[in-house]
Amino acid sequence: MSGRITKECIQSVRQATDIVTLIGDYVSLTQRGSMWWGCCPFHNEKTPSFSITPDKGIYYCFGCHKGGDVFTFIMELEQLSYPDAVRQLAKRAGIALVYESGSQPVTTERDNVKEDIIQLYERTAALFHYLLTQTTGGKFALDYIQARGLTKETIEKFKLGYAPADRRWLKNFLRKKNFSDAFLEKTGLFSKKYPDVAFFSDRLMFPIFNRHGQAVAFGGRLLRGEGPKYLNSSDLIQYQKGETLYAFNFARQSIRQERKVIFCEGYMDCIAYHQCGVTYAVAPLGTSLTDDQIKLVKGFVDTILLSFDSDGAGQAATRKAILMCRKQNLQVKVIRLRGGKDPAEIMLHYGAQTLTEDVNTAILDSDYLFEVLSKQYAIDTPDGKSEATFEFFQYVDALQTDIQKESCLELLGQRFAIPPEVVRRDFTNRDRARERVEVRQEQQQSISLNAELRALLAVVADNQFELMRNELNETDFENEFAREIFILLEECYRSGDMSFSSILNHCPSDVIRQMITEAVSSGEFSQNATQVIHDSIELVKRNSLERRREAILNNIRLLNPVTLADQQQLQILLEQKTDIDQKLQKKD
């Protein structure tokens, strides 16, 4: 009978949990008579078929036919067992669990460890915040974020902090607070190989909160010295990055009210939106946007707005996110920030009104794709037009209704001057035609993309990441997979465990896990690995500089030198271009 909660206690939890309030935390609901309706959180739909009958305490979806009470809802949505669902709702209602005579709660140790770790993260976030705002050691980091335009209120709201440069300081401090070494080893705050060494050091710290507003992880930004620009907590007992969105706890109410959400690039961009009054912005956490992250907001929104960088990596992330959101039957718009600047820069130099105007003038995802494809391919040639068309077909495939598909095919013909019957015929035969295009694209694939992946895979195979991290950081990589592998290796390096099993366990996706396993197993990098890495590093550095130079030139073209602010920005950009030109000349 181990762990059996009494029937009377379960009934008390059920009666204390208002089903409309509970489900309303996950789904936007509308009352019709005595019932409540919303879009089902368990399957894709645009017209609400998910119903709640409050007086019966049940829900039912007329689309996917799932139904039940408050316990089954939490079990299904949070993937919990029945006892765990009862425990979660009991805690939510403030009810102490009562177990049958002689029975002891199961999984108590795991639950207690999870709660203890969350409490430690809460205390650590408060400690880092104090070190940032009240000590001389953190003053340089405080000066940095204030120079970036963040107010005292914003710094307090997001509990920004500073991790000390002394990597042993945190362990010694927590020991004095009576935390055991055995417990601290489970928290993810310290290196696995060197357990006295903190995972984060000498960084601006961004606490990551769960939906209840509890600190459960950290992101750290490097402000000086060598290393990756950002470092993020790995998956932990209380935190899974692919299922969490930064600032969702702050944004959830606005997301529900506005029926839209902004997915932006990172912590500072997200914070800038919030400070400017656009409080429905959230950000993925160190990896690409995931389906689970989209599902977090899906029940509340009609429209997704994307606000990623305008460089090659940002454009790739935008195109991928468009397809993912459309497959979940969500409308998508793309925010084009004037001058190619990020939200934090616009807030600092142009103010909240300009950033808000950029949000309000976001364009349809189809228009964005037409613009990008027209620049990427030579659409005045038959081959270029064909490649652009078949790439756009991926977007059409992601649409969920025949009306949407038909309208986009018609628009495609108009934009690329292709007869409508030809567009429809090629779309019908798109699988065979796409194979021809993909073969041609593979043949034309740039050496920089191959070099990036080859460099990272060689590093994994020959365990020479330290050689690379002294020369590059994740922003130097254009290829999304290469960038994610670099971040993965940095997290393993910082944790003190660079074993192959540790690298596989930290992989953010099955695609990357397969890529790494195949590269190591094939033995391709068993010879001349060091030379391959050296050569690839130099090529990646050059390509990174050239991309930065091109981005600067694009920003210069978009400036209006009549305004004082743009004149100042022009001077900064010209200085940056000169610096890059000099570095490129040295490499020649």
Side-chain angles (χ1 to χ4, degrees):
M1 291 205 312
S2 177
R4 184 168 295 176
I5 304 168
T6 65
K7 294 180 180 179
E8 292 78 11
C9 182
I10 292 173
Q11 183 62 18
S12 296
V13 174
R14 181 183 284 111
Q15 292 174 349
T17 304
D18 179 73
I19 191 169
V20 175
T21 303
L22 172 67
I23 295 178
D25 282 342
Y26 300 86
V27 178
S28 184
L29 300 172
T30 302
Q31 188 173 14
R32 299 179 195 165
S34 62
M35 298 177 65
W36 292 77
W37 294 81
C39 289
C40 180
F42 304 119
H43 79 285
N44 291 334
E45 66 175 6
K46 203 66 178 175
T47 303
S49 62
F50 180 85
S51 67
I52 303 174
T53 309
D55 59 337
K56 296 287 197 296
I58 62 173
Y59 66 90
Y60 180 74
C61 177
F62 291 89
C64 67
H65 307 294
K66 289 187 176 181
D69 62 3
V70 290
F71 297 125
T72 53
F73 180 82
I74 288 296
M75 289 171 62
E76 182 76 26
L77 204 64
E78 302 273 3
Q79 296 297 298
L80 299 176
S81 65
Y82 183 78
D84 284 342
V86 175
R87 292 187 187 96
Q88 180 167 316
L89 293 183
K91 182 177 180 180
R92 188 177 189 271
I95 294 175
L97 290 175
V98 179
Y99 293 85
E100 292 183 358
S101 178
S103 174
Q104 296 296 322
V106 296
T107 69
T108 298
E109 182 177 354
R110 175 181 170 85
D111 291 343
N112 287 342
V113 169
K114 180 178 178 179
E115 288 302 315
D116 289 345
I117 291 178
I118 291 176
Q119 290 181 23
L120 174 60
Y121 270 76
E122 288 271 87
R123 294 178 64 174
T124 306
L127 173 62
F128 287 159
H129 182 67
Y130 173 81
L131 294 175
L132 174 75
T133 59
Q134 304 296 325
T135 69
T136 55
K139 188 176 185 303
F140 84 98
L142 181 62
D143 290 342
Y144 168 81
I145 54 178
Q146 288 177 335
R148 294 289 302 270
L150 299 192
T151 65
K152 180 180 179 181
E153 291 75 18
T154 296
I155 295 169
E156 176 66 29
K157 174 182 176 180
F158 287 90
K159 290 292 184 290
L160 303 187
Y162 170 71
D166 181 355
R167 297 189 68 184
R168 298 180 184 273
W169 182 90
L170 182 61
K171 190 66 167 286
N172 292 332
F173 177 86
L174 294 177
R175 279 173 175 156
K176 293 176 183 177
K177 299 299 180 182
N178 298 319
F179 287 97
S180 70
D181 285 358
F183 170 71
L184 292 176
E185 287 177 7
K186 303 174 184 178
T187 64
L189 290 172
F190 302 95
S191 165
K192 290 182 180 179
K193 188 174 182 180
Y194 306 103
D196 288 344
V197 171
F199 187 76
F200 298 100
S201 62
D202 200 24
R203 287 177 178 267
L204 174 65
M205 299 299 290
F206 299 84
I208 298 166
F209 304 96
N210 61 18
R211 66 190 306 137
H212 306 297
Q214 298 170 304
V216 293
F218 287 106
R221 191 200 192 286
L222 188 70
L223 299 181
R224 60 187 180 186
E226 298 295 327
K229 183 177 179 181
Y230 280 100
L231 199 60
N232 302 285
S233 294
S234 301
D235 285 351
L236 301 161
I237 187 175
Q238 78 284 0
Y239 166 70
Q240 289 74 46
K241 67 174 66 176
E243 301 172 7
T244 309
L245 285 167
Y246 181 69
F248 182 62
N249 58 306
F250 299 118
R252 184 167 59 174
Q253 189 60 35
S254 293
I255 290 172
R256 293 176 64 181
Q257 291 174 350
E258 298 288 339
R259 300 291 303 167
K260 56 188 174 184
V261 64
I262 296 174
F263 287 131
C264 54
E265 190 85 9
Y267 306 114
M268 286 296 291
D269 290 346
C270 186
I271 291 171
Y273 274 121
H274 279 257
Q275 182 168 302
C276 291
V278 186
T279 54
Y280 47 90
V282 297
L285 292 155
T287 59
S288 301
L289 185 67
T290 68
D291 286 326
D292 286 332
Q293 289 170 332
I294 297 172
K295 289 176 183 176
L296 269 179
V297 301
K298 181 183 174 184
F300 303 114
V301 304
D302 299 316
T303 304
I304 303 286
L305 294 101
L306 303 175
S307 178
F308 297 136
D309 287 350
S310 58
D311 59 12
Q315 287 188 11
T318 300
R319 289 151 81 169
K320 180 179 177 181
I322 287 172
L323 300 183
M324 294 173 66
C325 293
R326 282 295 185 177
K327 287 176 181 177
Q328 295 205 34
N329 206 21
L330 292 163
Q331 298 177 18
V332 185
K333 291 185 176 181
V334 178
I335 299 171
R336 294 185 300 178
L337 300 174
R338 62 194 69 189
K341 304 175 183 67
D342 61 45
E345 286 293 317
I346 291 177
M347 177 188 72
L348 179 63
H349 295 295
Y350 296 91
Q353 183 177 351
T354 299
L355 187 58
T356 303
E357 289 173 356
D358 286 344
V359 173
N360 292 336
T361 55
I363 63 174
L364 293 173
D365 52 353
S366 55
D367 290 336
Y368 170 82
L369 290 173
F370 283 131
E371 286 186 4
V372 171
L373 295 175
S374 296
K375 295 176 182 177
Q376 180 179 351
Y377 299 105
I379 60 172
D380 56 342
T381 67
D383 282 347
K385 188 175 294 188
S386 177
E387 290 170 342
T389 296
F390 285 109
E391 184 159 341
F392 189 79
F393 282 167
Q394 296 178 37
Y395 171 76
V396 180
D397 276 330
L399 300 176
Q400 298 299 298
T401 71
D402 290 339
I403 294 176
Q404 291 174 326
K405 292 176 186 288
E406 185 67 22
S407 298
C408 277
L409 290 175
E410 183 177 345
L411 187 60
L412 172 62
Q414 295 172 2
R415 289 294 186 95
F416 289 168
I418 306 172
E421 64 275 10
V422 175
V423 173
R424 289 182 180 85
R425 183 169 61 247
D426 275 351
F427 182 70
T428 301
N429 300 320
R430 61 192 176 280
D431 290 335
R432 186 171 65 247
R434 186 185 291 120
E435 289 178 4
R436 294 197 302 269
V437 172
E438 287 176 350
V439 168
R440 185 160 59 250
Q441 289 177 337
E442 185 175 345
Q443 293 170 345
Q444 296 173 348
Q445 189 178 40
S446 68
I447 189 170
S448 61
L449 185 148
N450 289 333
E452 290 182 1
L453 282 175
R454 283 179 58 81
L456 268 301
L457 294 174
V459 162
V460 175
D462 207 50
N463 196 19
Q464 295 200 52
F465 179 61
E466 190 165 5
L467 174 65
M468 174 173 282
R469 77 187 293 269
N470 291 332
E471 299 287 340
L472 302 171
N473 60 56
E474 77 273 18
T475 60
D476 290 317
F477 295 93
E478 183 176 24
N479 180 269
E480 176 187 345
F481 291 125
R483 193 166 59 253
E484 291 193 6
I485 293 173
F486 184 93
I487 293 171
L488 152 70
L489 294 177
E490 178 63 30
E491 290 178 352
C492 291
Y493 181 88
R494 298 279 293 191
S495 71
D497 187 357
M498 288 295 293
S499 66
F500 187 58
S501 60
S502 173
I503 291 171
L504 290 183
N505 288 335
H506 283 80
C507 280
S509 69
D510 291 337
V511 173
I512 290 178
R513 186 177 293 106
Q514 179 181 344
M515 195 182 302
I516 289 174
T517 305
E518 183 177 338
V520 174
S521 302
S522 68
E524 179 183 356
F525 301 102
S526 58
Q527 296 181 344
N528 301 322
T530 302
Q531 188 60 48
V532 169
I533 295 170
H534 274 297
D535 293 345
S536 298
I537 286 174
E538 289 304 311
L539 187 54
V540 170
K541 287 167 70 173
R542 165 171 280 281
N543 290 334
S544 177
L545 287 171
E546 289 177 347
R547 287 197 306 274
R548 286 168 54 195
R549 185 179 186 278
E550 184 61 30
I552 289 171
L553 289 174
N554 287 335
N555 290 340
I556 289 174
R557 296 186 191 104
L558 293 168
L559 290 176
N560 178 9
V562 174
T563 66
L564 178 60
D566 277 9
Q567 290 176 9
Q568 295 171 340
Q569 186 65 21
L570 177 61
Q571 183 61 36
I572 294 172
L573 292 173
L574 289 173
E575 291 173 359
Q576 293 174 350
K577 176 182 173 297
T578 300
D579 180 59
I580 290 175
D581 287 341
Q582 291 173 349
K583 291 178 179 178
L584 287 171
Q585 287 175 2
K586 288 180 181 179
K587 291 187 177 297
D588 291 337

